[in-house]
């Protein structure tokens, strides 16, 4: 399954210089069987892209109002067959197009300057570095009348310049206040006032089958409206092939295409309940959106501080099943003594990470975190994400058939930026 972003491609996990090398090699050998592995502490990201962009800046301002508790709406809106028209007229002006560009410089290989063979052909005039401009386009929506806008992080990733085009045709230079690739949320500011805004719904109250509307700029076609239903809620990042993300997605059959990234998914009241972000290439009727409650939380931190710190342990893990256990036994033999059939197996420990400092080992099976049983990697991700940086997190692990208590103190997730 391949995820296509409106701005970037999935990234690979590299394993080099690991401790407990023989055990890691035996366990990582399972990957050839197609077992899903999650790296809790990766900072790469996979949303629905097809373009590229982003700078980074910070500026504090007060932002979105807290969510009121909202009762889930009926499946069909009050019998009005034109409710979509009403919603689009109501909220359309608050949906924007975001164009971005970045300059890529091709580095001249050192061989041109050092190797006599190349100097024989080029003399002292070595080839000049070449530059090219990459452009992309996505969507966003206004959350504050003074010009604060949210979109996907991948829409503005690496951009030298960001332009925001309103529905009425006005164009503004956008300043990126901050972005969070772990959840794929970014905040932008434009110099404008008295702008139309979207009202915010409650994504925790959503139910499969509810009618939804998507507005955005797919494939450069501005102000495009599609509609459908919520197909599912709580899709984990690993479910859709984006295991480096920390989001439970909303799935919809409303048409989502490249360029919809960052645009709103709305309920029948015209309230934004999610941000459209991802598609699965080759699939039909499968789109994914970040719940608005998550978008709100992240956007508020970005606007206030320019960044978001996520708890980090530094482990790579796999959900243990009887089938996986049998494969491990066939490869590791007696060197790995697994008694349980369920749990989360650690297959890599990052050197000098919180997990390494706490004494976690490759081959440990996590049984519980903070006294809450875990059997899947998604449960571990949620519990770690909800933990506090610098506060010890108690883990119960099975090691060589024995139960061991380990306290891990999460650190802030190290962030890597791509050039």
């Amino acid at each position: 399954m391949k995820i296509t972003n409106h701005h970037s491609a999935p990234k690979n996990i590299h394993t080099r210089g690991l401790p407990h090398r023989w055990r890691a090699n035996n366990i990582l050998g399972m990957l050839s069987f197609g077992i899903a592995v999650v790296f809790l502490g990766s900072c790469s990201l996979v949303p629905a892209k097809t373009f590229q962009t982003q700078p980074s800046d910070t500026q504090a301002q007060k932002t979105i109002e807290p969510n009121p508790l909202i009762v889930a709406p009926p499946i069909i809106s009050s019998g009005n067959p034109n409710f979509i028209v009403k919603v689009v007229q109501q909220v359309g002006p608050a949906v924007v197009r975001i164009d971005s560009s970045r300059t890529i410089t091709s580095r001249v290989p050192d061989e041109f300057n050092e190797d006599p063979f190349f100097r024989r052909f080029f003399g002292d005039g070595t080839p000049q570095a070449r530059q090219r401009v990459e452009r992309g386009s996505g969507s966003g929506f206004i959350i504050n009348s003074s010009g604060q806008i949210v979109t996907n992080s991948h829409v503005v990733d690496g951009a030298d310049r960001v332009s925001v085009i309103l529905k009425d045709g006005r164009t503004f230079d956008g300043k990126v206040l901050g972005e969070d690739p772990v959840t794929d949320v970014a905040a932008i500011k434009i110099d404008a006032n008295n702008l139309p805004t979207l009202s915010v719904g409650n994504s925790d109250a959503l139910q499969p089958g509810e009618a939804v509307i998507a507005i955005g700029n797919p494939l450069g076609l501005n102000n495009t409206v599609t509609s459908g239903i919520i197909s599912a809620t709580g899709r984990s990042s690993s479910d859709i092939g984006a295991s480096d993300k920390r989001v439970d997605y909303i799935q919809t059959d409303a048409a989502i295409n490249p360029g919809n990234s960052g645009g709103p998914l709305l309920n029948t009241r015209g309230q934004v309940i999610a941000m459209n972000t991802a598609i699965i290439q080759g699939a039909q009727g499968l789109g994914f959106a970040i719940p608005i409650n998550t978008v709100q939380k992240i956007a508020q931190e970005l606007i206030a501080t320019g960044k978001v710190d996520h708890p980090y342990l530094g482990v790579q893990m796999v959900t243990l099943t009887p089938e996986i256990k049998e494969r491990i036994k066939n490869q590791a033999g007696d060197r790995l003594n697994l008694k349980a059939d369920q749990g989360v197996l650690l297959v890599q420990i990052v050197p000098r990470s919180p997990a390494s400092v706490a004494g976690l080992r490759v081959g440990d099976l996590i049984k519980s975190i903070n006294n809450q049983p875990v059997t899947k990697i998604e449960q571990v991700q949620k519990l770690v994400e909800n933990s506090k940086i610098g506060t010890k997190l108690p883990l119960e692990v099975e090691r060589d058939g024995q139960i061991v208590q380990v306290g891990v103190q999460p650190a802030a997730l190290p962030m890597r930026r791509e050039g």
Side-chain angles (χ1 to χ4, degrees):
M1 178 190 310
K2 182 179 179 183
I3 300 289
T4 302
N5 260 296
H6 294 174
H7 282 280
S8 66
K11 293 139 179 134
N12 295 323
I13 295 171
H14 300 284
T15 56
R16 289 186 300 220
L18 305 180
H20 312 288
R21 182 176 298 274
W22 70 264
R23 300 180 76 181
N25 287 344
N26 278 319
I27 295 172
L28 291 175
M30 297 185 303
L31 300 184
S32 62
F33 292 94
I35 297 170
V37 173
V38 166
F39 196 11
L40 186 55
S42 169
C43 55
S44 58
L45 228 134
V46 184
K49 292 177 157 193
T50 296
F51 314 95
Q52 300 146 344
T53 51
Q54 150 186 348
S56 164
D57 241 320
T58 64
Q59 183 171 354
Q61 268 193 37
K62 188 170 181 65
T63 181
I64 323 174
E65 298 289 331
N67 282 345
L69 184 60
I70 297 173
V71 178
I75 300 300
I76 300 298
S77 177
S78 64
N80 179 5
N82 292 318
F83 75 92
I84 295 177
V85 175
K86 182 178 179 181
V87 168
V88 173
Q89 291 174 343
Q90 173 187 335
V91 307
V95 181
V96 303
R97 171 172 172 156
I98 299 174
D99 290 340
S100 58
S101 61
R102 66 174 178 175
T103 302
I104 305 297
T105 301
S106 301
R107 189 178 67 87
V108 177
D110 293 337
E111 288 81 359
F112 281 107
N113 295 317
E114 301 172 358
D115 195 316
F117 174 80
F118 290 106
R119 296 187 66 84
R120 189 182 311 144
F121 287 94
F122 294 98
D124 293 330
T126 57
Q128 298 299 308
R130 294 186 176 183
Q131 292 186 334
R132 72 180 190 278
V133 177
E134 293 184 348
R135 304 182 189 278
S137 181
S139 305
F141 52 94
I142 304 168
I143 58 172
N144 185 290
S145 61
S146 63
Q148 292 172 355
I149 296 166
V150 291
T151 185
N152 281 142
S153 172
H154 70 260
V155 170
V156 294
D157 183 32
D160 303 316
R161 181 176 181 182
V162 175
S163 296
V164 177
I165 300 94
L166 306 188
K167 187 178 180 182
D168 62 15
R170 288 182 292 168
T171 300
F172 297 87
D173 288 334
K175 179 181 181 181
V176 178
L177 301 179
E179 56 165 318
D180 179 40
V182 176
T183 56
D184 202 8
V185 175
I188 299 173
K189 179 72 169 66
I190 61 174
D191 188 12
N193 291 296
N194 302 316
L195 296 175
T197 63
L198 290 184
S199 60
V200 177
N202 181 8
S203 53
D204 289 340
L206 299 178
Q207 302 178 62
E210 288 184 39
V212 290
I213 303 157
I215 304 179
N217 309 290
L219 306 173
L221 301 171
N222 293 351
N223 309 312
T224 295
V225 179
T226 58
S227 67
I229 62 169
I230 294 175
S231 304
T233 59
R235 291 292 192 212
S236 71
S237 54
S238 56
D239 284 341
I240 72 167
S243 58
D244 55 346
K245 298 293 179 285
R246 297 191 185 180
V247 175
D248 282 341
Y249 294 91
I250 295 167
Q251 181 179 320
T252 179
D253 69 349
I256 305 296
N257 290 284
N260 273 116
S261 275
L265 189 68
L266 306 145
N267 63 19
T268 57
R269 294 190 182 100
Q271 298 167 326
V272 57
I273 47 92
M275 175 191 287
N276 300 316
T277 188
I279 55 177
I280 296 177
Q281 188 173 21
Q284 295 183 357
L286 291 176
F288 300 92
I290 304 168
I292 194 61
N293 291 10
T294 299
V295 174
Q296 269 194 299
K297 176 178 178 290
I298 299 300
Q300 287 171 343
E301 292 189 50
L302 291 175
I303 291 170
T305 67
K307 64 175 185 175
V308 177
D309 287 329
H310 295 273
Y312 159 80
L313 298 187
V315 299
Q316 189 174 2
M317 54 193 175
V318 63
T319 297
L320 186 67
T321 65
E323 293 77 16
I324 293 176
K325 179 180 176 180
E326 187 62 29
R327 294 173 191 169
I328 294 173
K329 288 179 64 177
N330 291 338
Q331 293 193 27
D334 296 334
R335 290 171 295 181
L336 193 60
N337 183 17
L338 282 176
K339 299 294 186 183
D341 291 327
Q342 286 188 321
V344 177
L345 182 67
L346 301 185
V347 298
Q348 177 183 341
I349 306 294
V350 177
R352 296 177 297 280
S353 67
S356 176
V357 171
L360 287 174
R361 304 176 186 174
V362 170
D364 283 350
L365 188 73
I366 301 178
K367 304 287 290 183
S368 71
I369 296 179
N370 204 17
N371 297 319
Q372 298 186 50
V374 294
T375 57
K376 297 179 180 179
I377 54 179
E378 293 84 1
Q379 295 170 321
V380 174
Q381 287 178 311
K382 287 180 183 179
L383 289 169
V384 173
E385 181 66 15
N386 293 329
S387 67
K388 292 184 179 180
I389 294 172
T391 300
K392 190 161 289 188
L393 188 64
L395 276 68
E396 182 179 88
V397 303
E398 178 186 310
R399 177 182 299 163
D400 296 326
Q402 302 296 317
I403 299 299
V404 179
Q405 306 295 329
V406 180
V408 185
Q409 188 169 298
L413 173 66
M415 303 301 291
R416 291 192 302 271
R417 299 287 296 249
E418 293 200 348

